[in-house]
Each structure stands twice: as structure tokens, then as C-alpha cells.
Amino acid sequence: MSAVDIHSLYSEWGRFGLYSFFIDGSEPAIVDTGIASSPAGGISSGLKALGRRIEDVRWILLTHGHIDHIGGAYALWEMTGRKAKVVIHEADVPFLESRRAHVEEYLAARGRYINDGAGESKVAAACLAAISGEMEPHIVVRDGDELSLGPDVTIKVHSVPGHTAGSVAYEVKGQGDVFVGDAVQIHGAANGFPSYVDPDAYRTSLLHLRDQVRPSRLFLGHPYRSQGAEPLGVELNREQAAEKIQESLDIETRVRNATDEVGVDGAEIAEALCSPFCCIADYLRYSGDPTLEPSPFFTTMHGYFNKGYRS
């Protein structure tokens, strides 16, 4: 069986830019869908440049439930004539079913630390604008499941929670191509800090990718970067993938050590943007704005200190 071609599709969005991927098999697939405007924008134009049609897409594979990955799912499904099957892990199904689930996630974690009375309404408005529609998935996957995308492509599902509870890696069997969405954070994207809700699960997932999956090519959801360096892009070869997975592990160790050695701010520390984790931010030399959405600093700190996550 010959290798199937894979192409990245770029969509504009604010400071980040969004990436989807096209698996050019007999039953074509899109991995991640950007936001509401992405299917008619970057995805459609990218497919046209390849001589392909969005109407022919038969699979929509979602790596996790954040708005910049599932926001375009409903619109893309509509553009395929409702013929494509939408796939997501069971733990992230609520994000596909309900815009409100994203607001509740904000309020339960990072929103606790951001002193913004309008935060809830801002997130709700962002969800309304960026998510094209609420929907039920056609297929709900779990770790170890396999999907047959026609006679030429089989996808193996690896559960890689941490960034979200339902993050998955999709492996194209036989050629070692692995799509991880945001499950490999390195040093983070535009906000300059790695984001994960469950540090223990994140570490376990990285070890699984390093020791068991061992990608030949690793496709990232964003051009994640090393500290003080330019990103390598969203497609990493075998050596780059191994290096960046290990670097992500090393960074998690450093952040974990900071939470253990420094802890939350004492009463003598003045309130500031990073409160109650200003001393940790100083220790890690994090100088970004922790309130700027998607607020990875607060998301990650909450993961370490919230009951049920910290080891």
C-alpha cells in the first residue's frame, strides 16, 4: 500500500493562525477545523489549490474540543453536504455539543484568577462568533480504537489527555504520521507558556508518544516553539519530533519543580496580574500577560494546584 499524502491548510485567526490537515485518501479527511470562518476560508482555498473539493471530504477528525479546533466542524460538515463523519474523543464531546461548555470551563479554572467582571460574557461572545454550530458527533472514540478511512487509510486513536481530558493523537498506520493537535506544547505558542489542565496526564501522554508511538512525522496544531527560538513549523520529522516531545517533558518538569519549590504567593506579595502565582512566574521568568486568552499560565497553574490534579 502506497503512502497517503498529507497537506497542511492554514487559516487566519488573530495572533495565532490555525492549522488543519488534509489526508488525501480514497475517503478524504480533515484533521481539525479551525473556527467558524475557516472552512469557507483557509480550508476551502487550500483544498482548491491542491485540486481537491471540500464536498468530497468524508471524515472530520477532531484532536480535542477547543474552539480553534472544533469551531468550524459544523460549517465544514454542512459544506460536505452533511456526508462527512465527525469524530471526537468521548471526554471532549461536551465542547462539540454546547458552546456553554466552553464558558463553564473558563469559569471553573482560569477565570478564577482573571479579575475581569466581563470575562464570562467575553468568552460567551467569542464562542458565539468562533463556533459555527452545536452538534452531536457521529463517532465517539476511545484509546486504541481504529478507523477505516476507505481501503487505503487506517487511523489508530491514541488517548493523550492533559491539554484537555479528551485530547487524542491520530496515527496513520503504516507510515507513522501522527496528528497531536495541542498535546505537545513545548514552550507554548503566542502566549509563551505551555497549557494543560492535568499535569500528570500531560506527562504520561508525552511519555506514551515518546516511548510507544514514536512518530515518523509529527503534525502540531500550532507552531509551538522552544523558549527564545523561532518555531520549526507544524510538521516535524522523526528527529525533530523526538526532540520536541522530550523538550516538552523537560519543561513540564521545570514547571512542576517551581510549583513544589515556590508554591503560591505569600501574604506579603502584592496583588499583580499573575497572582497568586507571581513568585512562580518570576522563578520561571515568565513575563507574558497571563490574562490574555487563552490564558495558558493560569490554566496550567490551576492544574497543578487544584484538588484532583496535583500529584
PDB file of all heavy atoms in Angstrom, residues 109-126:
ATOM      1  N   ALA A 109     -11.881  27.281  35.976  1.00  0.00           N
ATOM      2  CA  ALA A 109     -10.424  27.224  36.117  1.00  0.00           C
ATOM      3  C   ALA A 109      -9.800  28.607  35.942  1.00  0.00           C
ATOM      4  O   ALA A 109      -9.787  29.396  36.867  1.00  0.00           O
ATOM      5  CB  ALA A 109      -9.848  26.214  35.132  1.00  0.00           C
ATOM      6  N   ARG A 110      -9.327  28.937  34.756  1.00  0.00           N
ATOM      7  CA  ARG A 110      -8.546  30.158  34.584  1.00  0.00           C
ATOM      8  C   ARG A 110      -9.315  31.413  34.942  1.00  0.00           C
ATOM      9  O   ARG A 110      -8.736  32.408  35.400  1.00  0.00           O
ATOM     10  CB  ARG A 110      -7.997  30.241  33.170  1.00  0.00           C
ATOM     11  CG  ARG A 110      -9.046  30.380  32.061  1.00  0.00           C
ATOM     12  CD  ARG A 110      -8.429  30.160  30.694  1.00  0.00           C
ATOM     13  NE  ARG A 110      -9.346  30.437  29.604  1.00  0.00           N
ATOM     14  CZ  ARG A 110     -10.223  29.561  29.120  1.00  0.00           C
ATOM     15  NH1 ARG A 110     -10.308  28.352  29.654  1.00  0.00           N
ATOM     16  NH2 ARG A 110     -11.014  29.900  28.117  1.00  0.00           N
ATOM     17  N   GLY A 111     -10.647  31.396  34.756  1.00  0.00           N
ATOM     18  CA  GLY A 111     -11.444  32.571  35.073  1.00  0.00           C
ATOM     19  C   GLY A 111     -11.417  32.950  36.533  1.00  0.00           C
ATOM     20  O   GLY A 111     -11.696  34.104  36.887  1.00  0.00           O
ATOM     21  N   ARG A 112     -11.060  32.012  37.405  1.00  0.00           N
ATOM     22  CA  ARG A 112     -10.970  32.307  38.837  1.00  0.00           C
ATOM     23  C   ARG A 112      -9.884  33.323  39.157  1.00  0.00           C
ATOM     24  O   ARG A 112      -9.950  34.014  40.169  1.00  0.00           O
ATOM     25  CB  ARG A 112     -10.669  31.026  39.623  1.00  0.00           C
ATOM     26  CG  ARG A 112     -11.732  29.942  39.571  1.00  0.00           C
ATOM     27  CD  ARG A 112     -11.322  28.814  40.489  1.00  0.00           C
ATOM     28  NE  ARG A 112     -12.231  27.686  40.433  1.00  0.00           N
ATOM     29  CZ  ARG A 112     -12.140  26.625  41.223  1.00  0.00           C
ATOM     30  NH1 ARG A 112     -11.174  26.562  42.133  1.00  0.00           N
ATOM     31  NH2 ARG A 112     -13.001  25.625  41.113  1.00  0.00           N
ATOM     32  N   TYR A 113      -8.863  33.387  38.299  1.00  0.00           N
ATOM     33  CA  TYR A 113      -7.686  34.200  38.589  1.00  0.00           C
ATOM     34  C   TYR A 113      -7.644  35.503  37.797  1.00  0.00           C
ATOM     35  O   TYR A 113      -6.804  36.358  38.060  1.00  0.00           O
ATOM     36  CB  TYR A 113      -6.422  33.388  38.294  1.00  0.00           C
ATOM     37  CG  TYR A 113      -6.468  32.008  38.886  1.00  0.00           C
ATOM     38  CD1 TYR A 113      -6.794  30.893  38.105  1.00  0.00           C
ATOM     39  CD2 TYR A 113      -6.214  31.806  40.240  1.00  0.00           C
ATOM     40  CE1 TYR A 113      -6.857  29.619  38.651  1.00  0.00           C
ATOM     41  CE2 TYR A 113      -6.268  30.537  40.800  1.00  0.00           C
ATOM     42  CZ  TYR A 113      -6.597  29.441  40.001  1.00  0.00           C
ATOM     43  OH  TYR A 113      -6.665  28.191  40.550  1.00  0.00           O
ATOM     44  N   ILE A 114      -8.532  35.623  36.831  1.00  0.00           N
ATOM     45  CA  ILE A 114      -8.543  36.812  35.973  1.00  0.00           C
ATOM     46  C   ILE A 114      -9.585  37.779  36.511  1.00  0.00           C
ATOM     47  O   ILE A 114     -10.775  37.481  36.546  1.00  0.00           O
ATOM     48  CB  ILE A 114      -8.861  36.426  34.514  1.00  0.00           C
ATOM     49  CG1 ILE A 114      -7.798  35.458  33.989  1.00  0.00           C
ATOM     50  CG2 ILE A 114      -8.947  37.666  33.632  1.00  0.00           C
ATOM     51  CD1 ILE A 114      -8.122  34.863  32.628  1.00  0.00           C
ATOM     52  N   ASN A 115      -9.130  38.925  36.956  1.00  0.00           N
ATOM     53  CA  ASN A 115     -10.018  39.914  37.569  1.00  0.00           C
ATOM     54  C   ASN A 115     -10.732  40.711  36.484  1.00  0.00           C
ATOM     55  O   ASN A 115     -10.395  41.857  36.196  1.00  0.00           O
ATOM     56  CB  ASN A 115      -9.226  40.842  38.493  1.00  0.00           C
ATOM     57  CG  ASN A 115     -10.122  41.800  39.272  1.00  0.00           C
ATOM     58  OD1 ASN A 115     -11.316  41.539  39.458  1.00  0.00           O
ATOM     59  ND2 ASN A 115      -9.548  42.912  39.710  1.00  0.00           N
ATOM     60  N   ASP A 116     -11.716  40.071  35.877  1.00  0.00           N
ATOM     61  CA  ASP A 116     -12.454  40.693  34.777  1.00  0.00           C
ATOM     62  C   ASP A 116     -13.933  40.342  34.936  1.00  0.00           C
ATOM     63  O   ASP A 116     -14.351  39.218  34.626  1.00  0.00           O
ATOM     64  CB  ASP A 116     -11.930  40.193  33.428  1.00  0.00           C
ATOM     65  CG  ASP A 116     -12.578  40.885  32.244  1.00  0.00           C
ATOM     66  OD1 ASP A 116     -13.496  41.705  32.460  1.00  0.00           O
ATOM     67  OD2 ASP A 116     -12.172  40.591  31.100  1.00  0.00           O
ATOM     68  N   GLY A 117     -14.698  41.303  35.405  1.00  0.00           N
ATOM     69  CA  GLY A 117     -16.122  41.073  35.611  1.00  0.00           C
ATOM     70  C   GLY A 117     -16.870  40.745  34.342  1.00  0.00           C
ATOM     71  O   GLY A 117     -17.949  40.132  34.391  1.00  0.00           O
ATOM     72  N   ALA A 118     -16.306  41.137  33.206  1.00  0.00           N
ATOM     73  CA  ALA A 118     -16.950  40.860  31.923  1.00  0.00           C
ATOM     74  C   ALA A 118     -16.395  39.606  31.264  1.00  0.00           C
ATOM     75  O   ALA A 118     -16.735  39.311  30.112  1.00  0.00           O
ATOM     76  CB  ALA A 118     -16.779  42.053  30.984  1.00  0.00           C
ATOM     77  N   GLY A 119     -15.537  38.867  31.997  1.00  0.00           N
ATOM     78  CA  GLY A 119     -14.883  37.703  31.401  1.00  0.00           C
ATOM     79  C   GLY A 119     -15.851  36.675  30.867  1.00  0.00           C
ATOM     80  O   GLY A 119     -15.681  36.160  29.753  1.00  0.00           O
ATOM     81  N   GLU A 120     -16.884  36.371  31.635  1.00  0.00           N
ATOM     82  CA  GLU A 120     -17.848  35.361  31.205  1.00  0.00           C
ATOM     83  C   GLU A 120     -18.538  35.775  29.908  1.00  0.00           C
ATOM     84  O   GLU A 120     -18.661  34.978  28.969  1.00  0.00           O
ATOM     85  CB  GLU A 120     -18.891  35.124  32.296  1.00  0.00           C
ATOM     86  CG  GLU A 120     -19.951  34.100  31.911  1.00  0.00           C
ATOM     87  CD  GLU A 120     -20.939  33.818  33.036  1.00  0.00           C
ATOM     88  OE1 GLU A 120     -20.765  34.373  34.137  1.00  0.00           O
ATOM     89  OE2 GLU A 120     -21.887  33.038  32.798  1.00  0.00           O
ATOM     90  N   SER A 121     -18.956  37.027  29.834  1.00  0.00           N
ATOM     91  CA  SER A 121     -19.655  37.489  28.631  1.00  0.00           C
ATOM     92  C   SER A 121     -18.711  37.547  27.438  1.00  0.00           C
ATOM     93  O   SER A 121     -19.122  37.283  26.295  1.00  0.00           O
ATOM     94  CB  SER A 121     -20.288  38.855  28.876  1.00  0.00           C
ATOM     95  OG  SER A 121     -19.312  39.831  29.193  1.00  0.00           O
ATOM     96  N   LYS A 122     -17.442  37.861  27.685  1.00  0.00           N
ATOM     97  CA  LYS A 122     -16.466  37.896  26.593  1.00  0.00           C
ATOM     98  C   LYS A 122     -16.242  36.504  26.012  1.00  0.00           C
ATOM     99  O   LYS A 122     -16.184  36.323  24.788  1.00  0.00           O
ATOM    100  CB  LYS A 122     -15.144  38.475  27.085  1.00  0.00           C
ATOM    101  CG  LYS A 122     -15.165  39.967  27.365  1.00  0.00           C
ATOM    102  CD  LYS A 122     -13.811  40.423  27.899  1.00  0.00           C
ATOM    103  CE  LYS A 122     -13.802  41.906  28.236  1.00  0.00           C
ATOM    104  NZ  LYS A 122     -12.503  42.327  28.824  1.00  0.00           N
ATOM    105  N   VAL A 123     -16.101  35.516  26.886  1.00  0.00           N
ATOM    106  CA  VAL A 123     -15.895  34.150  26.413  1.00  0.00           C
ATOM    107  C   VAL A 123     -17.139  33.656  25.679  1.00  0.00           C
ATOM    108  O   VAL A 123     -17.041  33.009  24.630  1.00  0.00           O
ATOM    109  CB  VAL A 123     -15.528  33.224  27.584  1.00  0.00           C
ATOM    110  CG1 VAL A 123     -15.476  31.766  27.118  1.00  0.00           C
ATOM    111  CG2 VAL A 123     -14.180  33.623  28.185  1.00  0.00           C
ATOM    112  N   ALA A 124     -18.315  33.976  26.219  1.00  0.00           N
ATOM    113  CA  ALA A 124     -19.560  33.572  25.563  1.00  0.00           C
ATOM    114  C   ALA A 124     -19.656  34.187  24.170  1.00  0.00           C
ATOM    115  O   ALA A 124     -20.065  33.515  23.212  1.00  0.00           O
ATOM    116  CB  ALA A 124     -20.754  33.976  26.412  1.00  0.00           C
ATOM    117  N   ALA A 125     -19.278  35.458  24.046  1.00  0.00           N
ATOM    118  CA  ALA A 125     -19.326  36.118  22.741  1.00  0.00           C
ATOM    119  C   ALA A 125     -18.316  35.507  21.779  1.00  0.00           C
ATOM    120  O   ALA A 125     -18.609  35.334  20.577  1.00  0.00           O
ATOM    121  CB  ALA A 125     -19.056  37.616  22.914  1.00  0.00           C
ATOM    122  N   ALA A 126     -17.134  35.165  22.296  1.00  0.00           N
ATOM    123  CA  ALA A 126     -16.120  34.540  21.446  1.00  0.00           C
ATOM    124  C   ALA A 126     -16.600  33.185  20.936  1.00  0.00           C
ATOM    125  O   ALA A 126     -16.377  32.829  19.771  1.00  0.00           O
ATOM    126  CB  ALA A 126     -14.817  34.385  22.220  1.00  0.00           C
TER     127      ALA A 126
END
